[in-house]
Each structure stands twice: as C-alpha cells, then as structure tokens.
Amino acid sequence: MRRAPIAEPEPLKRGVLRIVPLGGLGEVGRNMTVFEMDGKLLIVDVGVLFPESDQPGVDLILPDFAPIRDRLDDVLGVVLTHGHEDHIGAVPYLLRLRKDIPILGSALTLAFVEAKLQEHRIKPYTHTVKEGQVERLGPFELEFVAVNHSIPDALAVAIRTSAGTVLHTGDFKMDQLPLDGRLTDLRAFARLGEAGIDLFLADSTNADVPGFTALERSIGPVLDDVISRAPRRVIVASFSSHVHRVQQVLDAAARHGRKVALIGRSMVRNMGIAADLGYLKVPQDVLIDAKRAANLPDAEVVYMSTGSQGEPMAVLSRMANLEHPIEIGEGDTVILASSLIPGNENAVYRVINGLTKLGANVVHKGNAKVHVSGHASAGELMYVYNIVKPKGVMPVHGEVRHQVANARIAIDTGVPEDRVILADNGTVVDLENGVPRIAGQYDLGFVYVDGSSVGAITDADLKDRRILAEEGFISIFVAIDPSNGNVIVGPEIQARGFAEDDEVFETVRPQIVAALSDAARNGPVDLHTYRQAVRRTVGRWVNTKHRRRPMIIPVIVSA
C-alpha cells in the first residue's frame, strides 16, 4: 500500500491515463475525481462537504479546482454517479467557470442537478444515460452499470482507455431486496472483471463495518410501528434526496390514516421531481401542503423534513430552537431517519437534546432501527472483489480508516499489495499498460462557500472566527505622541465576549502606558512597533491573570 509525499506531478506522456482525486478521500463528502488522457479531461462527480462546528459561518466546502482551473476547455464531460449532495452539490460552482461542460447522468440525477442549477441561473448541457449504455468521449469509452444505493438511479461507470480500464463504483451496496427492485448488477461487474479491470475505485464508507448492510425494507416495519403508536404529530427528518425513506414514510402514514406534509425547500423540490418522474409513488390524497397540515388534528399529521445532520438553518434545528412555525411540544414524536455523518455528532445530539427538552419523543438510529446505510459493508466489498478480481485498487469515498480497511479487504482477496494505492486528495496516479503508480501529489486545500463569496475565506479567517467565538476580543485605542510614546488620549479599552465590567482593565492600563514609553526609549519606532508593544502587554496580562487568549486589536494613532 502506497501513499505519496507532496511532489510536483511528472509531465503526462501520451497513452498514459492520469487519475487525480480532488475530493472525497480522507473525508465523507466533496467527491470528485479527474481522469486525463492525451490532453483531455473527464470528471466523475463534483460534490460538496458540509461544515463542522469548528468552521463557523461556512455554508459549504468545495473540492479544490486548482489543478484544472486553467484547463476547463479540455474537459469533455462530467459524469455524475447519483444525486446526493456529496456528489452533485458543487456542480454549480464548476459551471460558473465554464457553463457548457456536458453533464452525463441518470434521469433522476440530472433532474436534481438541473433544479439546483436553475437556482444559480445556469442552463446546463445534459445527456441522460442509463445502465448498459456505452458512450465515447474522446479517448474515454464509458459503460454505465446499475448499482443499488439509498437513492434511485445510481450508476457505476467503467472507463476504458488504451492505457487500461478503470471501474468506479460510485456509492453502492448490495441490497438483495431493494425497494425499487433495482439490484447492483453483479453480472455486469463479473463481465467487466473477465475482460480485465486494471484499477478499481471502490466505495470505502462502510469498509470497517463487518458483514452485510441491512436491507432497506427492514426499516419499513419500524417506521410503521413508531407512527402507529405516536399520540400526536410525527416529524421525520432525513436527507432531502432520500427518495426511498420518504416512500416508506408515505406508505406508513397512509396505512394509519395520516396526511404527510413536506417541509424544507430542498425536500419539497426533490420529492416533487421524484414524483413527477415516477420514482416516488405517492398514495392518493396523502400528500398535502404545510398550511393544510397545520389545521388538521395532531394525530392525523406526519411532517417530512430536512435537518437530520443538525444543520443550523435546516428545519429540525429551527424547530429545536423554537424558530420554526411548527412548535414541538409534549407528545410529539421526532424520527431521525438517516445516518450520522462523521463530524456532525455534536450538532445532532444538540438537536436531540433540544427536542427532548421540549417534550418530544426522539427516535434515532441509537435507540431504534430507523435507518440503514446506503454503502456496502466489508462482506459485500469482499464479495465484489472476488467477482471483479481487479489487478489494482484505489479505495475512494471515505475517511482514512475506511480507506485502510478497504485496502486490507482488497489484499485479503488477492490483489497484490504493491498495486493497492492509498491516495489522498491531490494524489496523482498514472495508469500505464494496465499498471498504476503514484506520479506526484498536489497540495490541495478546502474551498469555503461563505454567503455569496467562494474561496475568499481562508483557514486563518476561520481561526479568527473560532477565537472570537470562544475567547472574545479586546480593542485598545490610544492616541500618542510618536516621538516619545507619551499617551495623549486613552488607553480606552472595549471588550466583547470577555468581561462586561470595565474595572477589570484598571490594572492593565498603567502597563500599556509604560510599554509605550519603553518602546520609544529603545530607539526609533513607528506605529506598528507601538501596536506590537500594546498587543504583547495586553496578551501577557490577560493570559497570566485570566487564563484566556482573546483576539487583541490595538488601535494606535498619532496625535
């Protein structure tokens, strides 16, 4: 198993296939992989990552487009494996750079993307594909394979080139009784394996989970039981694209005489699309709007909402904070019907505690089987490796522990260890004559979306925000005679998030005056030197006396 040090990639020779993941490795989200051959580029997935609690103010995190930003005219197309945000969410930001990049995907995936792009006022060029279909884009021949996931219409893609063949699974599992009847096409996997797979890019998300992922339909009876026993309203939170889960909620509500109202803009939009395309079967007279639901008896209503990951602006968080028209009360039942994305634990438990405090009965994966994963567990991965028999493997889609677990499964099933590549975002892998090798490593970072700005916020800015949130800030204004450091006005001290009583600063004011005089006596100084003297003095005082490290902003003016 090999990892790459930071190194400028070698020039790419003709006839060699280059694979560069720009996101999705070492993390759950931001999935994006670039394939290059003979001067042309193919992209598979362009997803987002959602911010964690130590990234205040950030809305989304994008893949780092830097390696391809100046080569967008060479992009022949973008292949989208399915319609989850961690695979399609960054498409609008890529198309802002070049609007006519062709987008290939299944009918539901493209419908989700087109609705998203409409909000960004971008009309894309799209091409609908389905399982079994073969397309040629320059040096890349693409064959699409049906895979089962927690969203309909998911696809794997085999990429054939003169340098070798790559099979990219996208997100998949092997549910043998899927709700939509669409199995992962193991016969196609076996056929591709017989022809020869030189590099297998396999979903790692559940590689450290033993056995097989539970059946999606095992959730139905649990939801049915919870809804049947709920005395008042039921609020079910899930991902806005989880068509299968919404279908199960609709069916359970219909059986128990309840109406369902969809809450949250993305939930309403996505389920409307799924219903129009026939992927969501809505029982007659069950689906109503939220205004009508508010006038029905509590025991006759189910709300289907977003916010299962504790997102601050999503519906469920606003309910927990009493910032939503639907006010949670005693006897209400809240079901969190989704997995817990790593990094969101604190936010989710904060929402659970808030809802419980309001009197709700909160049902979640920890106390009831209300969710199953959409990803293949270790047993399924081993099964697939034995069917495909790849010559080389690069685990994708997951944190480092998931990638390592996936790599061990590959080795256990007979893949040579020297052909198992543990890559990071930015690792450059060249496939030549069917043999993969590491050819360099780009130094990539996070690209933050903060309101309307994209990429303007840096890690240093986030550090400042964390300091402001956790430690507060102190501002010191002083007007001085720059020739001798004598104070003419001040020091005037303002603080936020540190201390409300101005008297706490009485002991440091004389120290500031002395520090300014000392700075002047030590030689010619400018205003920057005076600012540094004040910052050091206040920083030392506040750390020694209060054990705090607030942001310190000295404002020194010449008078």
Side-chain angles (χ1 to χ4, degrees):
M1 294 187 289
R2 293 172 286 167
R3 283 192 177 277
I6 299 295
E8 189 67 24
E10 305 168 7
L12 183 61
K13 296 184 294 185
R14 288 192 66 82
V16 176
L17 175 63
R18 175 161 287 178
I19 303 111
V20 184
L22 300 186
L25 275 61
E27 60 195 358
V28 179
R30 287 206 311 164
N31 297 292
M32 181 175 181
T33 307
V34 177
F35 297 82
E36 179 182 358
M37 190 167 188
D38 297 342
K40 299 300 180 182
L41 305 178
L42 173 74
I43 298 171
V44 174
D45 290 329
V46 194
V48 295
L49 179 68
F50 294 102
E52 298 183 10
S53 58
D54 64 346
Q55 295 163 326
V58 174
D59 299 316
L60 297 169
I61 306 172
L62 309 180
D64 190 341
F65 300 149
I68 63 169
R69 185 177 291 273
D70 296 330
R71 300 193 54 199
L72 293 175
D73 288 341
D74 296 330
V75 177
L76 299 177
V78 172
V79 172
L80 301 176
T81 59
H82 65 280
H84 281 152
E85 286 293 306
D86 60 333
H87 291 256
I88 69 169
V91 170
Y93 301 94
L94 179 65
L95 293 195
R96 283 184 185 182
L97 304 177
R98 181 189 153 197
K99 293 185 179 180
D100 63 343
I101 298 176
I103 310 292
L104 289 77
S106 64
L108 182 64
T109 302
L110 291 183
F112 281 177
V113 169
E114 287 166 352
K116 179 181 290 292
L117 289 170
Q118 192 171 9
E119 296 179 358
H120 289 259
R121 298 180 182 176
I122 297 173
K123 186 171 179 58
Y125 172 73
T126 59
H127 179 62
T128 304
V129 295
K130 59 183 180 180
E131 56 267 28
Q133 190 167 332
V134 177
E135 294 287 337
R136 165 70 69 173
L137 294 179
F140 309 101
E141 182 182 271
L142 313 176
E143 180 178 345
F144 298 92
V145 180
V147 292
N148 178 253
H149 187 39
S150 54
I151 186 172
D153 245 7
L155 295 168
V157 58
I159 304 170
R160 297 189 186 91
T161 70
S162 60
T165 300
V166 177
L167 177 57
H168 192 310
T169 66
D171 287 354
F172 85 104
K173 60 178 176 176
M174 287 167 48
D175 192 328
Q176 297 303 294
L177 297 170
L179 294 177
D180 58 2
R182 191 169 179 270
L183 295 158
T184 292
D185 191 348
L186 297 178
R187 288 180 296 180
F189 275 17
R191 175 175 51 77
L192 291 166
E194 286 290 329
I197 298 298
D198 298 298
L199 189 61
F200 190 36
L201 275 58
D203 179 7
S204 305
T205 310
N206 268 3
D208 62 344
V209 178
F212 284 65
T213 300
L215 302 179
E216 196 78 38
R217 65 174 53 196
S218 66
I219 303 303
V222 182
L223 290 173
D224 193 90
D225 179 61
V226 173
I227 290 173
S228 71
R229 293 187 290 106
R232 293 189 64 213
R233 297 173 298 185
V234 177
I235 298 94
V236 185
S238 181
F239 296 118
S240 64
S241 55
H242 203 327
V243 179
H244 295 326
R245 193 69 70 245
V246 175
Q247 183 70 66
Q248 290 171 312
V249 171
L250 288 171
D251 293 342
R255 281 192 293 271
H256 297 288
R258 288 180 180 253
K259 305 294 186 184
V260 178
L262 303 177
I263 307 295
R265 186 166 54 91
S266 58
M267 178 68 75
V268 172
R269 179 192 68 202
N270 289 343
M271 291 309 112
I273 292 169
D276 290 344
L277 295 177
Y279 294 97
L280 183 69
K281 308 292 192 296
V282 181
Q284 190 171 0
D285 298 327
V286 166
L287 202 57
I288 60 174
D289 63 34
K291 289 182 180 179
R292 184 180 166 196
N295 296 320
L296 291 177
D298 289 345
E300 296 179 12
V301 177
V302 175
Y303 291 104
M304 189 79 216
S305 80
T306 57
S308 61
Q309 297 303 306
E311 305 97 310
M313 297 308 295
V315 170
L316 203 62
S317 292
R318 288 159 54 206
M319 288 181 183
N321 295 326
L322 297 177
E323 296 171 351
H324 193 273
I326 299 172
E327 295 185 0
I328 301 297
E330 198 73 35
D332 286 336
T333 299
V334 179
I335 304 172
L336 274 68
S338 67
S339 59
L340 191 56
I341 294 176
N344 292 346
E345 294 89 348
N346 290 339
V348 171
Y349 289 126
R350 188 161 49 246
V351 169
I352 290 174
N353 287 328
L355 294 168
T356 303
K357 189 174 182 179
L358 294 173
N361 172 34
V362 183
V363 181
H364 54 87
K365 191 178 179 183
N367 58 25
K369 194 172 183 179
V370 290
H371 180 72
V372 297
S373 176
H375 302 269
S377 296
E380 291 156 277
L381 288 171
M382 186 171 291
Y383 196 89
V384 169
Y385 279 122
N386 284 329
I387 288 174
V388 175
K389 295 192 179 301
K391 299 170 187 173
V393 169
M394 187 170 86
V396 295
H397 301 176
E399 297 180 345
V400 173
R401 59 193 170 95
H402 304 134
Q403 292 175 263
V404 170
N406 198 351
R408 286 177 181 149
I409 296 169
I411 293 168
D412 287 344
T413 56
V415 180
E417 187 169 346
D418 64 349
R419 292 202 181 185
V420 176
I421 295 176
L422 280 175
D424 297 308
N425 293 331
T427 299
V428 178
V429 177
D430 284 355
L431 186 68
E432 185 174 7
N433 298 321
V435 179
R437 67 180 184 87
I438 293 174
Q441 174 72 46
Y442 289 110
D443 186 11
L444 302 183
F446 288 143
V447 177
Y448 300 108
V449 177
D450 181 25
S452 60
S453 73
V454 178
I457 299 299
T458 65
D459 287 330
D461 296 322
L462 292 182
K463 182 180 178 182
D464 288 345
R465 290 180 180 183
R466 289 193 295 272
I467 292 172
L468 286 170
E470 297 166 7
E471 303 284 355
F473 82 93
I474 300 173
S475 172
I476 308 100
F477 172 81
V478 189
I480 63 169
D481 180 343
S483 64
N484 53 26
N486 289 343
V487 173
I488 298 172
V489 177
E492 296 178 3
I493 301 176
Q494 300 286 332
R496 291 291 182 274
F498 174 75
E500 297 299 325
D501 189 351
D502 286 345
E503 291 183 5
V504 300
F505 299 113
E506 290 303 322
T507 58
V508 77
R509 284 191 172 94
Q511 296 178 38
I512 294 171
V513 173
L516 291 167
S517 297
D518 289 345
R521 279 198 298 272
N522 290 334
V525 291
D526 55 16
L527 291 181
H528 173 72
T529 305
Y530 285 124
R531 282 195 294 270
Q532 291 297 92
V534 172
R535 181 180 284 112
R536 282 194 301 269
T537 300
V538 175
R540 188 165 51 247
W541 169 80
V542 76
N543 186 38
T544 302
K545 190 171 180 61
H546 297 278
R547 303 292 184 209
R548 298 281 296 277
R549 300 185 67 181
M551 181 177 290
I552 298 169
I553 305 174
V555 179
I556 311 298
V557 297
S558 174

